[in-house]
Amino acid sequence: MISFAILQNLLLPYKEEAMKDKLFNLMRPQSLADVKGHKVVTDKVRRWIKSDSIPSFILMYGCRGCGKTTVARILSKVANCDNPNEDGPCGECPSCKQAALGINPDILELDAASRNKVEDVKALTEKLGYLPFFKKKVVILDEVHRLSATAFDSLLKTLEEPPENVIFIFCTTELQKIPDTIVSRARKLEFNSLPTPVIAERLSEICKNYDKPYEEAALLAIAKASGGAMRDAINNLEDFFEIGITEENVLSELGLAGEQVILSMIEGMCEGSWEKSVLNFRKEVTKGMRLQSFIDSVISVCLDLMQANVTNTVTEISGTDAYKEMVLKISGKVSFVKLSEICNAFSKIRPIGLDAIQIEGLITSLLIEESSVERLRKQVEELTKRINALENGKISSRAAVISTEPVNSTVSEELPFDEESPLDELESVPFDQPADTAKVLPEPNENEQKMPDPSTLKADENEEDGEIEEEVSECDCCPYIDECTGDCIQDKVKNIKEGNGEKTVANSDADTTKEETDESEDVLEAPDADDFFSSLARLF
């Protein structure tokens, strides 16, 4: 069998050659002291190392390329190091040397994106049954969120009760995709995106280490374009080692717009200038500017301008001295409300991603007149200035001008609504005395329409309804005309023809009245049953 030392010597040249091709691997921190921008994480790891209590299951999550794998490798070296310290491994023992070359048999670094099946997890757990070569076996599983659901289920029992000589370190950029049963069993370390000044400082250290001249503006542009990922920034920096690390090269290669151009465009949007905003945008697009980088740059510069507008200082703003001076100068000219409007508009389109024409339309829409809130604010400021000037006596008040022209006033003939009513002059009458209706009721007005007679209304209603009122006969013998025998009427006509005249008619009327009185007296007496029913039959 080939001994381990012979295998190490055989693999060493290939490993060194592979690492020379990747700058970020060569410049990867080898101790916690070299890790930048993660003080909370490094302090917690130092406490674990100092107390010799590294957890058996650690879950690291956060932004891409921000140091998760780096810290995981440092922990794996410390777990097998003979003389570890608070900052990490010693780097001199056999375990540290083999780990530096990537040939330590106790450190298993796997990619879950390519090995995400149940069979892969079972093969891994079988390897953990063997004793470690040094102290402990460390399993670094990168992109662990790519494991399948069944693969996670097969790991549950092992993660809950791991062997004493095994340490699991999981790394992921999407914590929400990992089951809660896995997350609850781990000790978690969160890695945030790195600030731009931290990345720029690290890039300057690398340039000095390799004796490469650089411009500060170029490093800041690379740092901003990396999006908080140190790995992306180092990879971009390596591309400029041959052509020169200058601002012009960086902007043209990465498709970025200069800070002065962005400031000029924002100033044009605030002032409503077509040339500064739209025309500059068209020029940058023809140069090959990346639209997503442009949107991010506009948001970042707007935030710097708003900060300078509120605080009147640029000490907390990252950038060159020339950039800070321009920010302080422009922030005093533009409105905070307009800056927030621009920042809000570009923040909404950032996750969507628009083409050049759509972004140009958005810029054009931002050139419109200021909002009503901004106009109202300016009016209030102007009025406040005038009031202060008047109070200080700087502005003399104008004399009032009295007009001598006659005023045409028209008097209304109508009584006002508060005129006293005639009812107010009525006398009050005690409740135990009768009231004089002549005094109480007002005199009727001749112009007022008289109320119609109820009987007339009733007759009209009957006529409208089509009802015909039956005529009642004056005959004593029968109540209706259609049943009258005609004897009484013939007698009256006969008397008139004989010449009795009015007297005869009057006598006949008197006789008729007398007969009615006699009949009324007879009615009071008990009537005959036959006569009563015969009269009743005539009625119906």
Side-chain angles (χ1 to χ4, degrees):
M1 294 179 62
I2 301 175
S3 63
F4 180 76
I6 297 175
L7 182 61
Q8 177 181 352
N9 294 330
L10 292 173
L11 295 175
L12 180 59
Y14 299 98
K15 189 66 178 179
E16 291 179 352
E17 188 67 24
M19 293 184 65
K20 285 181 181 179
D21 296 337
K22 300 177 181 179
L23 181 61
F24 72 91
N25 277 332
L26 294 175
M27 301 306 299
R28 189 186 294 272
Q30 301 299 321
S31 64
L32 296 177
D34 298 333
V35 178
K36 305 294 183 180
H38 300 293
K39 187 177 183 304
V40 177
V41 174
T42 54
D43 290 344
K44 185 180 289 187
V45 173
R46 283 190 178 96
R47 291 195 295 270
W48 291 346
I49 296 173
K50 187 176 181 179
S51 61
D52 193 15
S53 59
I54 299 176
S56 60
F57 180 27
I58 303 171
L59 177 60
M60 301 181 181
Y61 63 95
C63 175
R64 72 186 190 284
C66 58
K68 298 185 295 296
T69 305
T70 299
V71 176
R73 290 179 180 178
I74 293 174
L75 274 173
S76 64
K77 294 177 184 178
V78 171
N80 292 298
C81 181
D82 295 336
N83 301 308
N85 51 55
E86 292 183 357
D87 292 333
C90 65
E92 300 296 334
C93 63
S95 175
C96 293
K97 290 181 180 180
Q98 293 178 18
L101 297 174
I103 57 176
N104 193 322
D106 290 339
I107 300 176
L108 303 177
E109 188 171 348
L110 305 175
D111 184 15
S114 58
R115 300 180 180 180
N116 53 7
K117 299 180 180 179
V118 181
E119 294 79 6
D120 299 326
V121 174
K122 290 182 179 179
L124 176 62
T125 54
E126 289 177 359
K127 292 180 182 179
L128 299 179
Y130 299 100
L131 294 175
F133 189 83
F134 291 102
K135 292 182 179 179
K136 290 186 178 182
K137 286 185 176 294
V138 182
V139 178
I140 301 175
L141 198 59
D142 202 4
E143 301 297 331
V144 70
H145 61 274
R146 300 292 295 275
L147 288 177
S148 61
T150 54
F152 275 121
D153 294 338
S154 62
L155 277 175
L156 282 177
K157 190 63 177 178
T158 305
L159 295 175
E160 187 175 3
E161 297 178 358
E164 296 180 358
N165 54 359
V166 177
I167 296 176
F168 289 95
I169 301 177
F170 288 176
C171 303
T172 180
T173 56
E174 300 181 14
L175 180 65
Q176 70 277 5
K177 292 186 178 180
I178 301 177
D180 295 337
T181 53
I182 300 293
V183 176
S184 61
R185 288 171 167 81
R187 300 288 293 275
K188 293 174 284 294
L189 295 176
E190 182 179 3
F191 289 76
N192 298 320
S193 58
L194 296 173
T196 300
V198 174
I199 298 176
E201 182 182 358
R202 181 59 177 168
L203 296 180
S204 64
E205 293 177 359
I206 295 173
C207 292
K208 293 176 182 179
N209 189 19
Y210 283 88
D211 295 331
K212 298 291 183 179
Y214 64 91
E215 293 181 3
E216 184 180 358
L219 297 182
L220 287 172
I222 295 173
K224 289 181 178 180
S226 63
M230 183 70 75
R231 181 177 59 222
D232 296 350
I234 295 175
N235 287 335
N236 292 332
L237 178 65
E238 188 178 4
D239 296 336
F240 300 102
F241 276 2
E242 299 297 332
I243 62 177
I245 310 173
T246 61
E247 184 180 8
E248 183 179 358
N249 293 336
V250 170
L251 296 179
S252 60
E253 290 289 332
L254 298 180
L256 305 176
E259 295 175 345
Q260 297 180 358
V261 177
I262 299 296
L263 284 170
S264 177
M265 292 178 63
I266 294 175
E267 184 181 7
M269 283 184 273
C270 294
E271 296 176 355
S273 175
W274 180 270
E275 296 180 356
K276 289 184 178 180
S277 58
V278 178
L279 295 184
N280 283 339
F281 175 75
R282 291 177 181 176
K283 292 178 182 178
E284 295 299 323
V285 170
T286 56
K287 292 180 182 179
M289 178 184 64
R290 291 191 305 164
L291 299 179
Q292 192 65 34
S293 300
F294 169 73
I295 295 173
D296 294 339
S297 299
V298 171
I299 296 173
S300 176
V301 174
C302 280
L303 293 175
D304 292 342
L305 287 171
M306 286 190 288
Q307 181 178 349
N309 187 288
V310 174
T311 61
N312 294 325
T313 59
V314 290
T315 55
E316 301 297 331
I317 297 175
S318 62
T320 60
D321 295 336
Y323 172 73
K324 292 180 180 179
E325 291 178 2
M326 291 185 63
V327 168
L328 187 61
K329 180 180 179 180
I330 296 176
S331 63
K333 299 179 181 180
V334 297
S335 169
F336 182 87
V337 177
K338 191 66 178 179
L339 289 173
S340 63
E341 182 183 355
I342 297 171
C343 184
N344 185 31
F346 279 88
S347 299
K348 288 181 179 179
I349 67 172
R350 185 180 184 277
I352 303 173
L354 303 178
D355 55 15
I357 297 177
Q358 292 172 326
I359 295 177
E360 185 176 334
L362 176 63
I363 296 174
T364 305
S365 65
L366 293 172
L367 299 178
I368 61 176
E369 189 178 359
E370 293 175 331
S371 61
S372 59
V373 177
E374 181 63 16
R375 291 199 302 270
L376 181 61
R377 186 186 65 82
K378 287 187 175 182
Q379 292 176 2
V380 172
E381 290 180 356
E382 185 65 23
L383 290 175
T384 305
K385 291 180 181 178
R386 292 186 180 183
I387 292 172
N388 294 335
L390 287 172
E391 291 178 351
N392 297 332
K394 294 182 180 179
I395 299 177
S396 59
S397 60
R398 297 181 180 180
V401 179
I402 301 175
S403 177
T404 58
E405 297 180 0
V407 179
N408 295 328
S409 60
T410 58
V411 180
S412 177
E413 296 180 358
E414 298 179 358
L415 292 176
F417 66 91
D418 56 348
E419 189 73 19
E420 293 184 359
S421 175
L423 296 177
D424 297 339
E425 299 178 357
L426 299 178
E427 296 180 359
S428 58
V429 180
F431 67 92
D432 57 348
Q433 297 181 6
D436 190 359
T437 56
K439 293 183 179 181
V440 174
L441 298 176
E443 296 181 359
N445 191 0
E446 295 179 357
N447 298 329
E448 293 180 358
Q449 186 177 0
K450 294 183 179 181
M451 295 297 292
D453 191 291
S455 60
T456 307
L457 294 176
K458 186 174 182 181
D460 295 341
E461 290 177 358
N462 294 334
E463 291 178 2
E464 292 177 358
D465 296 338
E467 297 179 359
I468 300 174
E469 186 176 358
E470 296 181 355
E471 296 181 4
V472 182
S473 175
E474 297 179 355
C475 180
D476 296 334
C477 300
C478 53
Y480 297 101
I481 293 176
D482 55 352
E483 296 180 0
C484 181
T485 57
D487 297 337
C488 57
I489 297 175
Q490 292 177 359
D491 293 342
K492 291 180 180 181
V493 173
K494 184 179 180 179
N495 294 333
I496 292 171
K497 286 181 179 181
E498 290 177 356
N500 292 334
E502 297 177 357
K503 182 178 180 182
T504 307
V505 174
N507 293 334
S508 63
D509 293 337
D511 296 337
T512 303
T513 306
K514 183 178 181 181
E515 290 176 2
E516 291 177 355
T517 306
D518 296 337
E519 287 179 3
S520 62
E521 292 176 356
D522 295 337
V523 170
L524 297 175
E525 298 176 0
D528 188 18
D530 296 334
D531 296 336
F532 174 75
F533 286 108
S534 61
S535 300
L536 185 61
R538 292 193 191 101
L539 291 176
F540 294 95

